Amino acid sequence: MTTKHIKPFDGISITLLIITILFFDSCGPKKNEWRSIFNGKDLTGWTPKFAGYPLGENLRNTFRVEDGMLKISYDEWDDFNEEFGHIFYEEEFSRYRIRVEYRFVDDQVNNGPGWAFRNNGIMLHCQDPKTMAVDQDFPVSIEGQLLGGNGNDPRTTANVCTPGTNVVIDGELVTNHCINSSSKTFHGDQWVTVEVEVLGSESIKQYVNGELVFELTEPQLDPRDADAQKLITDENNLLISKGYISLQAESHPIHFRKIEVMEL
């Protein structure tokens, strides 16, 4: 029986090993660190979907990048005909924070619905956009609703809406479509920062300019909703633990100058 001698690492081999480890460690996203998911140059990583149109069609150049901002613009539209749009980021997330800086600008497109005046949203735990029906208005998701004031009346932002979903608040299942937050009203074209902490199927907390304004638990599919019914695989477990992120186009122009994610 012979004994094989293993050649020890020399200095060069150890150095190469360390460099390789550091390289692969730096390739992927790191937890507990903010990273931008919008590069400020183009729509790389983002895919639009408009009701009535196939995935990937950027209807009338609505989603665009100008001046380092992701803009939702209606200057190439004559009228709005319920062609609600969303733009989806390519990655799925479960436990994370998302932070956006936004402002509403200009006038609403002609024939935009009254409720959609200065109205947008961060759609969280979205269904895969590939599973959306061509004529589907909104992805099944939890919406962090972004609203702007009309110059006079109170109107909170970072509300929660629930297309195809339900949530629990203070231990009670809530099936209302939209629930108001406790935020202040933001009139005019001022920049607003909204941050949302999403902890899988456990909880979602929303902050406006650093102030906690909404908290919910147990985001879940709504078995009464036709779009959600297609996604239900276990009627005894409706909880949503992960999904995609999208931003809306609901007929009012809006700018986003920062879109960042921190995985937890």
Side-chain angles (χ1 to χ4, degrees):
M1 179 176 177
T2 59
T3 302
K4 293 184 178 180
H5 294 281
I6 300 175
K7 184 179 179 181
F9 284 114
D10 57 25
I12 296 177
S13 299
I14 293 175
T15 301
L16 290 173
L17 178 62
I18 293 172
I19 291 173
T20 301
I21 292 172
L22 291 175
F23 173 77
F24 283 104
D25 184 59
S26 64
C27 287
K30 294 182 179 180
K31 289 188 176 182
N32 301 312
E33 289 186 9
W34 287 107
R35 65 181 174 101
S36 178
I37 57 174
F38 165 57
N39 65 19
K41 300 176 182 178
D42 54 37
L43 296 177
T44 297
W46 295 84
T47 303
K49 173 68 181 77
F50 284 85
Y53 297 84
L55 179 66
E57 182 168 343
N58 190 2
L59 185 63
R60 303 185 187 106
N61 195 30
T62 304
F63 296 106
R64 63 184 71 167
V65 178
E66 296 173 338
D67 306 318
M69 295 179 285
L70 194 161
K71 295 184 178 181
I72 296 167
S73 177
Y74 287 90
D75 59 5
E76 296 184 21
W77 292 61
D78 294 323
D79 294 284
F80 188 82
N81 187 28
E82 296 190 350
E83 296 151 312
F84 298 105
H86 297 79
I87 190 164
F88 290 81
Y89 188 61
E90 62 186 354
E91 292 182 42
E92 221 178 2
F93 296 95
S94 177
R95 302 176 68 86
Y96 64 99
R97 291 181 181 176
I98 180 169
R99 181 168 63 193
V100 304
E101 293 181 6
Y102 73 92
R103 67 177 178 186
F104 288 100
V105 296
D106 303 327
D107 297 320
Q108 188 179 18
V109 68
N110 190 45
N111 289 329
W115 56 262
F117 168 81
R118 290 183 174 253
N119 188 336
N120 199 278
I122 312 169
M123 315 301 278
L124 310 164
H125 279 348
C126 290
Q127 70 182 104
D128 186 332
K130 297 184 184 69
T131 66
M132 290 180 66
V134 172
D135 60 352
Q136 188 172 333
D137 290 333
F138 308 98
V140 173
S141 57
I142 305 293
E143 175 186 353
Q145 187 185 48
L146 308 178
L147 296 179
N150 62 12
N152 296 302
D153 303 309
R155 196 182 192 214
T156 57
T157 190
N159 305 323
V160 168
C161 296
T162 53
T165 55
N166 294 317
V167 299
V168 172
I169 299 176
D170 296 329
E172 298 290 334
L173 181 69
V174 177
T175 58
N176 297 349
H177 178 56
C178 289
I179 311 105
N180 287 346
S181 77
S182 61
S183 85
K184 301 172 184 176
T185 300
F186 297 91
H187 298 292
D189 298 353
Q190 62 183 301
W191 288 102
V192 182
T193 299
V194 167
E195 182 176 329
V196 186
E197 179 187 80
V198 182
L199 298 180
S201 61
E202 298 170 19
S203 66
I204 296 176
K205 296 180 181 179
Q206 300 193 148
Y207 300 81
V208 177
N209 292 345
E211 179 182 355
L212 178 64
V213 298
F214 202 108
E215 184 173 1
L216 64 89
T217 60
E218 299 177 59
Q220 56 194 267
L221 297 171
D222 183 352
R224 305 167 303 167
D225 182 84
D227 294 321
Q229 288 169 5
K230 302 172 186 176
L231 304 174
I232 295 174
T233 57
D234 182 355
E235 294 182 356
N236 296 314
N237 182 14
L238 301 175
L239 295 176
I240 309 171
S241 62
K242 62 181 180 178
Y244 293 85
I245 292 168
S246 70
L247 304 173
Q248 291 189 308
E250 291 193 303
S251 75
H252 202 114
I254 187 172
H255 297 165
F256 291 90
R257 69 179 179 186
K258 181 179 290 186
I259 310 170
E260 299 176 312
V261 164
M262 176 194 293
E263 295 191 61
L264 303 174

